Amino acid sequence: MRNANEVGNVAEIVSLAEGVGRLVHDGDMVALEGFTHLIPHAAGQEIIRQRRRDLTLVRMTPDIVYDQLIGAGCARKLIFSWGGNPGVGSLHRFRDAVQNGHPVPLEIEEHSHAGMANRYVAGASGLPFAVLRGYSGTDLPRHTDTIKQITCPFTGEQLAAVPALNPDVSIIHAQRADRAGNVQIWGLVGVQKEAVLAARRSLVTVEEVVDELEPVPGQLVLPSWAVTCVAEVPHGAHPSYAQGYYERDNAYYEKWDSIGRKRDSFEDWLREKVFTMEGAK
Amino acid sequence: MSGGEASRAEVAVVAVAELFRGDGDTLVSPMGLIPSLGAKLARLTFAPDLLLSDGEALLVTADGEVEGWQPFRKMLELIVPHGRRHVLMGANQIDRYGNQNISAIGDHAKPAKQLLGVRGAPGNTVNHRTSYWVPRHSRRVFVESVDVVSGVGYDNAAKVGYSARRFHDVYRVVTNLGVFDFATPDNRMRLLSAHPGVTVEQIRDATSFDVDTEGAGTSREPTADELRLIREVLDPEALREKEVPS
C-alpha cells in the first residue's frame, strides 16, 4: 500500500506541470510539508493552475501555501494543527472558507502538532495508529473523530490513539536531487521524510538537479526508490527560504495579509500571478 | 517611561521572567514578544541555565544568537519524554481552572471565528509545565467557560484522571494587569499580584468569573539593572510598548 510508487521503481525527473498532472488527482488526500523552510509554494500554485478540486489537504502548519489553495477552491477538507500567516496573523481565505463556506465549504480535522507528527510516523512505519498522552482532557476528541481513547495493555493507562496518515500524494521541496532522483535536504527539516515515506505517491521539487550529491553536514537523503517524481523548480519554495540558495521573503508574508484579506484582491492575485502563468512551464 | 519609572510593559516583562525563577536547566518556549523578552531577561539575570527556543525551531541565547537546533523531531525524541520544559503560550479564552482556547470561537464545526488551531496545547498541558500570557486582560478572554478546550485546565485533568494529571502543571497566567496562579484547594484561579497602579476592582471588572483576590500583593518593580537590560539590550526599539501600552 505505501510506497507503491505507481509510476515505477525509481524517481522519474519530470516538469512541475507534468508531475502535478500525473500525481495529483481530484479528490486526493495531498500533503505539502516543510516547516518555515523549504515550503513547496510553486507546487501548490501548480495545483491551483491545474484546477484540482475536492482535495483533502494535510499539513502540520498550513500557512500561505494552503491559504492560496483553499481560496482557489481546491480543497474540501483540511487536516492540520495550526493555520496562520507566520509572524503576521490570520489566514483570511482559510477563515472565509471555514466561517462562510467561501468559495466552497471547508471541513476541518484538527489535531495537535504531536498528533500530526505521530500520524505521519505511523504512516511511514506501516503501522495503523500512533499513541499519545496529549488530547486527554481537551475538547478535541468530541470534535475530531480521528482521536479515540485506548487503554495501554501493560499499565492500564488511558491514552489517545490517532490513525496513520497515508496521503495519496506528498509534495515537498528540497535543495537538490541527482539524475537518478535521489533527493538531498539540509537545514531545518520538519516531517518531510515521514510525509514522503507515508505517501502512496510523492513529488519532490528541487532547486537544482545535479550530477552528484556532494555530502552536506546534517543532510537528509531520500533515496530514489522512495520518490515517485522529481521536478526542477528553482525558487520553488519562495516566499519561504531554501538554505544555501535564498532567504525568506518576509515582505511577501506581510503583503499576503492585504492580498488574502478580500475576496476580490485574492481573485486579482489568482488571475495575475497564477492563471496567466498557464502553459509557462 | 523616562528615568527610573517602569512602564506597564516593563513590569509585565519582569513578571514573565519571574515565571522561570528556579526552573534550572529547563527548555523554555516563549511564544510572542513579551514572553521572549521575559525569558531572555530571566536567563541574563537569575536563571542562567535556561535553554531558550525561538518559538520555531532554533535554540537561541539571550542575544538571539543561535546555539542549537530543535526541529520537531528533536522535540519529540528528546525534550518531551526526557527533558524539562516550560511553555508560555497565548490564550484567546481562559477560564477559572486554566482551560485555554486557541482553536475556535463558537461552535467548532461552524465557528463564528476560526482561530489558529490547538497547536501544541493538548500535549504541552499534560506533559510539562505551561503558563499563559494575555496582553489584553478582558472579559472576552477571561470567560466563564471556554468554547473549545485546547490546553487542559485543572477540572478537566481531574475528570480524566492519571493520564492527564500525571505531568499536568498549569503554573501561572501573566496579563497586562497582574499575575495569577491556581494554588488554591480546588485549583481555581487566584490573583497573586496586581501590577503597580492596577486596582483589584479593575481586575474583577475585566474578568467574567469570580477570581479570588484575597491576600494578593503588588507585582514587583523592575530593578535598575533589569530596566537597563530591557531598554538597552533586549528591546532598544521599545516594541514592548506596542504590545502593552501604559
Side-chain angles (χ1 to χ4, degrees):
Chain A
M1 175 181 87
R2 77 195 164 90
N3 298 336
N5 272 338
E6 290 168 11
V7 178
N9 287 324
V10 296
E12 215 181 315
I13 298 184
V14 297
S15 69
L16 176 59
E18 191 183 353
V20 167
R22 221 199 263 183
L23 301 183
V24 183
H25 313 133
D26 286 352
D28 274 355
M29 180 188 284
V30 182
L32 273 67
E33 282 296 349
F35 177 63
T36 309
H37 179 212
L38 297 173
I39 299 171
H41 276 272
Q45 290 178 17
E46 183 60 29
I47 293 172
I48 297 175
R49 203 172 288 123
Q50 296 197 18
R51 296 179 161 81
R52 290 293 179 274
R53 288 292 176 269
D54 295 324
L55 302 178
T56 292
L57 293 177
V58 189
R59 177 165 170 75
M60 292 191 57
T61 54
D63 40 25
I64 292 178
V65 64
Y66 274 17
D67 210 33
Q68 296 174 345
L69 281 156
I70 291 165
C74 300
R76 58 162 286 273
K77 182 173 179 182
L78 176 69
I79 303 177
F80 78 116
S81 50
W82 173 92
N85 183 346
V88 180
S90 297
L91 294 177
H92 303 291
R93 294 300 92 224
F94 163 52
R95 284 180 55 172
D96 201 12
V98 175
Q99 294 172 199
N100 309 314
H102 179 88
V104 289
L106 183 72
E107 185 192 335
I108 59 170
E109 182 177 320
E110 187 171 1
H111 277 269
S112 69
H113 288 331
M116 290 294 291
N118 281 289
R119 292 186 68 186
Y120 277 124
V121 172
S125 310
L127 291 168
F129 67 90
V131 181
L132 296 107
R133 172 167 292 105
Y135 298 117
S136 288
T138 73
D139 281 342
L140 272 195
R142 279 204 289 129
H143 301 302
T144 302
D145 59 13
T146 47
I147 302 169
K148 302 283 185 211
Q149 210 175 58
I150 191 170
T151 305
C152 169
F154 305 105
T155 63
E157 189 175 349
Q158 295 291 305
L159 297 161
V162 290
L165 272 171
N166 291 106
D168 293 304
V169 55
S170 286
I171 301 176
I172 65 167
H173 187 76
Q175 281 98 338
R176 293 201 288 237
D178 66 16
R179 297 192 194 284
N182 296 296
V183 171
Q184 186 186 32
I185 309 175
W186 65 90
L188 286 178
V189 179
V191 293
Q192 291 98 319
K193 183 179 83 175
E194 290 78 1
V196 166
L197 294 178
R200 294 177 176 86
R201 306 182 292 276
S202 57
L203 170 64
V204 181
T205 57
V206 294
E207 288 298 319
E208 55 178 341
V209 174
V210 296
D211 290 330
E212 201 164 333
L213 298 176
E214 290 289 333
V216 174
Q219 70 179 16
L220 182 95
V221 172
L222 281 168
S224 178
W225 52 261
V227 176
T228 317
C229 290
V230 169
E232 189 177 62
V233 187
H235 276 84
H238 176 268
S240 76
Y241 69 103
Q243 188 169 326
Y245 289 83
Y246 45 91
E247 296 291 319
R248 189 175 192 267
D249 184 353
N250 292 320
Y252 187 104
Y253 284 82
E254 303 238 339
K255 203 170 137 215
W256 185 256
D257 190 68
S258 58
I259 295 170
R261 190 172 286 271
K262 296 261 159 49
R263 292 175 184 177
D264 54 356
S265 53
F266 176 76
E267 293 296 331
D268 290 346
W269 174 84
L270 268 184
R271 210 166 29 247
E272 286 163 26
K273 303 290 184 191
V274 181
F275 290 123
T276 55
M277 300 290 286
E278 209 145 18
K281 287 190 176 111
Chain B
M1 56 162 272
S2 61
E5 189 84 349
S7 67
R8 181 70 60 74
E10 289 162 346
V11 169
V13 169
V14 169
V16 167
E18 284 291 340
L19 294 174
F20 308 113
R21 189 181 284 277
D23 269 1
D25 52 351
T26 294
L27 173 70
V28 174
S29 307
M31 309 298 172
L33 176 72
I34 286 190
S36 70
L37 291 175
K40 286 174 178 174
L41 182 67
R43 173 158 158 164
L44 283 175
T45 55
F46 53 77
D49 295 334
L50 295 180
L51 265 179
L52 302 181
S53 136
D54 71 342
E56 288 186 356
L58 299 174
L59 295 174
V60 292
T61 66
D63 303 329
E65 215 171 290
V66 175
E67 62 178 2
W69 286 22
Q70 183 214 47
F72 281 124
R73 189 165 289 114
K74 286 250 167 71
M75 283 302 298
L76 296 174
E77 288 173 0
L78 297 171
I79 307 297
V80 173
H82 304 294
R84 280 160 40 84
R85 187 174 187 223
H86 188 167
V87 169
L88 181 52
M89 299 189 81
N92 297 86
Q93 292 180 326
I94 192 163
D95 70 15
R96 74 183 80 216
Y97 292 108
N99 292 292
Q100 166 236 33
N101 176 20
I102 48 175
S103 169
I105 301 293
D107 175 23
H108 186 268
K110 188 80 187 157
K113 192 172 175 191
Q114 172 66 45
L115 305 174
L116 297 181
V118 299
R119 295 162 256 175
N124 293 341
T125 47
V126 298
N127 280 301
H128 51 71
R129 180 170 277 194
T130 304
S131 293
Y132 295 107
W133 159 245
V134 177
R136 278 177 295 278
H137 190 137
S138 72
R139 284 175 176 260
R140 274 175 54 179
V141 178
F142 284 73
V143 294
E144 193 60 42
S145 155
V146 305
D147 293 347
V148 181
V149 176
S150 312
V152 182
Y154 284 91
D155 56 340
N156 280 311
K159 265 182 235 159
V160 173
Y162 179 73
S163 169
R165 285 177 75 168
R166 190 171 170 193
F167 305 112
H168 184 263
D169 181 10
V170 175
Y171 181 53
R172 284 180 186 175
V173 181
V174 178
T175 79
N176 59 323
L177 300 183
V179 181
F180 304 80
D181 73 2
F182 300 90
T184 53
D186 61 353
N187 298 120
R188 283 171 189 245
M189 192 186 289
R190 100 184 149 167
L191 177 66
L192 205 57
S193 65
H195 295 332
V198 177
T199 64
V200 165
E201 287 65 41
Q202 238 176 303
I203 288 171
R204 287 182 173 281
D205 284 349
T207 307
S208 299
F209 51 85
D210 192 29
V211 60
D212 178 5
T213 57
E214 212 178 299
T218 305
S219 309
R220 76 170 174 88
E221 296 272 2
T223 65
D225 187 44
E226 285 171 336
L227 277 184
R228 183 188 59 79
L229 287 169
I230 294 169
R231 293 174 183 176
E232 292 170 26
V233 179
L234 295 174
D235 186 25
E237 291 173 54
L239 296 173
R240 62 191 176 278
E241 303 298 330
K242 288 192 185 129
E243 189 161 322
V244 173
S246 283

